[in-house]
Amino acid sequence: MFDHYHLWINGREVEGRGEPYGPNVGPKEVRSFHVHVFKSGAWSEASRHDRALVLERIASIMAQDLPNLIMLEVKQTGRAIREMKAQIPSLLRWFKYYASLLLTEELPVLPTVGKLHNWLERVPLGVVVQITPFNHPMLIAVKKLAPALAAGNSIVLKPSELTPVTSLLLGQIFKTAGVPDGVVNILPGYGASTGKALVSHPLVRKVDVTGGTVAGQAIGSIVGGNLARYTAELGGKAPLVVFEQANIDAAVNGIAFASFIATGQTCVAATRIIVQNSIMVTLLEKLHRKCELILQNMGSPSNEKSTMGPLISLRQLQKVESLVDECLNGGTGQVLCGGKRMAGTSQLDGIEFEKGYFYPPTVITCASGKNITQARIWREEAFGPVIVVVGFDHEEQGVLLANDSEFGLGAALWTQDLSQAFRVSKQVKSGIVWVNTHHRNDPSSPWGGASKSSGVGSENGVDAYQDYTTTKSVIMNFASADEMLAQDDWFKEGAGHVRYG
């Protein structure tokens, strides 16, 4: 995978070549040493105040290193630096949020009969495995790491083989912040080998993965066999519905952001744009101008004026090209703009597009008399800057089109009619519904799918933290010794009343 790599194992940085294990560290050791760290209690039994303090330190250290983290994220993903300058600083909130949760969570005391006191505690699960994708390397890693650390677990994080650098740097940050050695272990590798070995281990108590649906289903079957917990944020094919009551200029800006941020390489990218026919012509004219503006300002990802970067790999580029070509050659769709790999040089800074995997913002509309909703590009996740626009006449039709997908992760509505916004948001089958906005993400707000193809469980919020814990019910009898002797002798001689429950 890597000719040269660094990884963090048992609190020490390992450097090597070839196989994704360091000197004298093999697959067996990688999968078992962290169990001993968890059982030691160095982190799992640390007080809430101590764990919260470390999480706060992590945020503080990250804040000091933001310029370096931003630039490295740009270099390994190809994402435009304007995006990373907005995204990476926001990640500090996750560590601060879960630090606050540790200090403010109220645990219940349950009603009981007699002189019993019953309370609940939350205890960590044990060793957990987290698998992250290439599109948001730091964001998705942080979303998983923060609640798992807050809960007291030991973690093995496997970043994407395409984008491991910033995840590896988190190991240094955590160690500096005071996370005990061996609590967080970052292990690059391929999913089919390293990932499979990790999720298959019977000592792993939870697996949390973000990735494609097929991979997520395969991992889920393995995890289920070990009776471990499973959270999976998988595929999406997000609808964005624009009603005639919307502000069209705001909606076009929203479509561009929802569809082309991260070069369309995000699970909640709005790839199915559903527009009321009464405003279709005006919206398409404005959307075309917006796409042309994006195209004119594409250049080097490190250029602060650049609007959109390349795709992550040749494989991803070929997938996008295949879906677009099939739709166009099959006659179900026609191109409004884009549709071919970029060539030539950037008007912005002169870089040569053919040296990268650049693909333009692409808008496909229905060919006359055709039903594009049967095409693969309507059904399958392209993971690129490609959208399909279809029309509808009535609100009910718009809702049906929005729900016409096996996925249900994210969706968006654009309307200035408040009652319509409430009405439609309840009917759209999606784990997240944005109204007059998109991609909004906060550590307090659950993030997860509402259908089998978009995953299981959710990230963020109290639920994510609780899913990294299990409850312990403690029941204490505070009756006097005399009372216990009188009431709790089940096998005393003769008849008499004994308690139950």
Side-chain angles (χ1 to χ4, degrees):
M1 180 185 62
F2 300 106
D3 178 60
H4 185 264
Y5 59 86
H6 293 259
L7 58 154
W8 283 85
I9 293 180
N10 205 19
R12 63 189 176 92
E13 187 179 24
V14 177
E15 184 175 354
R17 295 179 182 276
E19 290 298 314
Y21 305 104
N24 302 316
V25 180
K28 182 178 180 181
E29 288 77 16
V30 167
R31 296 196 302 269
S32 62
F33 71 84
H34 39 261
V35 177
H36 303 296
V37 174
F38 176 78
K39 290 182 177 179
S40 75
W43 184 252
S44 59
E45 297 177 13
S47 73
R48 286 170 170 259
H49 288 78
D50 288 341
R51 293 206 300 267
L53 181 60
V54 171
L55 292 175
E56 289 281 0
R57 285 178 186 155
I58 291 172
S60 177
I61 295 169
M62 283 183 64
Q64 297 170 23
D65 202 28
L66 283 176
N68 181 46
L69 294 172
I70 289 167
M71 188 52 66
L72 286 173
E73 198 79 331
V74 170
K75 288 181 177 180
Q76 71 171 349
T77 64
R79 297 273 298 276
I81 193 170
R82 66 197 297 171
E83 296 180 13
M84 293 297 94
K85 281 192 168 183
Q87 185 182 92
I88 301 303
S90 73
L91 305 188
L92 310 183
R93 292 180 295 159
W94 268 261
F95 294 107
K96 293 180 178 180
Y97 171 81
Y98 285 105
S100 298
L101 180 61
L102 281 174
L103 300 178
T104 58
E105 182 185 24
E106 296 181 355
L107 296 171
V109 174
L110 305 177
T112 55
V113 177
K115 293 188 175 181
L116 299 174
H117 191 65
N118 186 186
W119 73 91
L120 295 187
E121 296 178 354
R122 288 204 168 270
V123 296
L125 297 176
V127 177
V128 301
V129 167
Q130 301 174 335
I131 298 177
T132 57
F134 67 80
N135 56 332
H136 299 283
M138 281 200 73
L139 170 64
I140 296 176
V142 165
K143 286 169 67 176
K144 298 181 189 303
L145 287 164
L149 273 175
N153 296 282
S154 291
I155 303 160
V156 182
L157 172 71
K158 192 205 83 64
S160 166
E161 65 274 15
L162 298 174
T163 55
V165 178
T166 48
S167 294
L168 289 168
L169 288 180
L170 288 174
Q172 296 175 327
I173 291 171
F174 291 170
K175 183 174 179 65
T176 303
V179 176
D181 288 352
V183 171
V184 176
N185 310 277
I186 301 164
L187 182 66
Y190 286 118
S193 52
T194 307
K196 184 177 180 180
L198 291 172
V199 303
S200 301
H201 199 284
L203 294 179
V204 170
R205 301 320 308 142
K206 176 179 169 69
V207 172
D208 189 341
V209 61
T210 297
T213 298
V214 174
Q217 290 171 332
I219 294 170
S221 65
I222 296 171
V223 176
N226 289 332
L227 298 180
R229 293 195 189 179
Y230 187 47
T231 297
E233 197 254 77
L234 305 176
K237 196 69 182 171
L240 189 155
V241 187
V242 185
F243 294 97
E244 61 185 2
Q245 293 89 341
N247 180 293
I248 297 179
D249 290 318
V252 167
N253 289 341
I255 292 169
F257 175 75
S259 306
F260 305 132
I261 197 75
T263 319
Q265 298 170 118
T266 174
C267 295
V268 294
T271 54
R272 297 183 299 128
I273 312 303
I274 302 161
V275 182
Q276 199 148 13
N277 284 321
S278 58
I279 59 170
M280 178 69 81
V281 172
T282 302
L283 184 139
L284 287 178
E285 289 175 352
K286 292 177 181 289
L287 181 58
H288 186 271
R289 288 199 294 270
K290 178 65 69 173
C291 289
E292 288 297 317
L293 181 64
I294 295 171
L295 183 61
Q296 291 166 15
N297 289 283
M298 286 179 66
S300 168
S302 59
N303 187 329
E304 297 197 9
K305 295 182 180 179
S306 180
T307 49
M308 195 171 79
L311 291 162
I312 189 70
S313 65
L314 177 60
R315 178 183 177 184
Q316 194 59 38
L317 173 66
Q318 291 172 339
K319 178 182 179 182
V320 171
E321 288 180 316
S322 174
L323 285 171
V324 171
D325 291 347
E326 180 183 303
C327 178
L328 300 182
N329 294 336
T332 56
Q334 58 190 19
V335 171
L336 179 69
C337 56
K340 291 185 178 180
R341 180 179 181 176
M342 295 174 66
T345 58
S346 167
Q347 299 178 37
L348 182 67
D349 52 28
I351 70 163
E352 297 180 49
F353 289 126
E354 290 178 334
K355 291 185 177 180
Y357 308 119
F358 285 91
Y359 200 85
T362 297
V363 179
I364 297 174
T365 60
C366 291
S368 178
K370 300 292 183 177
N371 181 9
I372 201 171
T373 62
Q374 300 307 311
R376 278 208 307 148
I377 200 164
W378 175 266
R379 298 285 171 188
E380 296 183 18
E381 191 173 33
F383 234 57
V386 179
I387 61 178
V388 177
V389 182
V390 300
F392 68 94
D393 291 317
H394 306 293
E395 182 180 296
E396 295 78 9
Q397 294 174 325
V399 172
L400 287 173
L401 285 167
N403 290 333
D404 183 29
S405 175
E406 66 175 293
F407 300 105
L409 181 56
L413 318 172
W414 287 80
T415 178
Q416 296 295 302
D417 184 332
L418 185 61
S419 62
Q420 183 179 57
F422 272 102
R423 185 170 60 248
V424 176
S425 65
K426 289 181 176 294
Q427 298 176 65
V428 173
K429 297 176 182 178
S430 181
I432 311 162
V433 179
W434 292 286
V435 178
N436 297 326
T437 189
H438 206 280
H439 268 71
R440 299 292 185 175
N441 188 14
D442 188 87
S444 65
S445 181
W447 181 284
S451 75
K452 62 179 181 180
S453 294
S454 282
V456 179
S458 64
E459 297 178 327
N460 296 346
V462 176
D463 288 350
Y465 162 77
Q466 291 183 343
D467 205 41
Y468 275 104
T469 71
T470 186
T471 54
K472 176 187 286 187
S473 181
V474 182
I475 304 170
M476 181 181 294
N477 185 354
F478 58 88
S480 68
D482 289 342
E483 289 173 316
M484 284 189 280
L485 290 171
Q487 299 174 6
D488 293 343
D489 184 0
W490 277 75
F491 302 103
K492 63 185 178 182
E493 295 182 5
H497 173 75
V498 293
R499 61 94 189 159
Y500 186 82

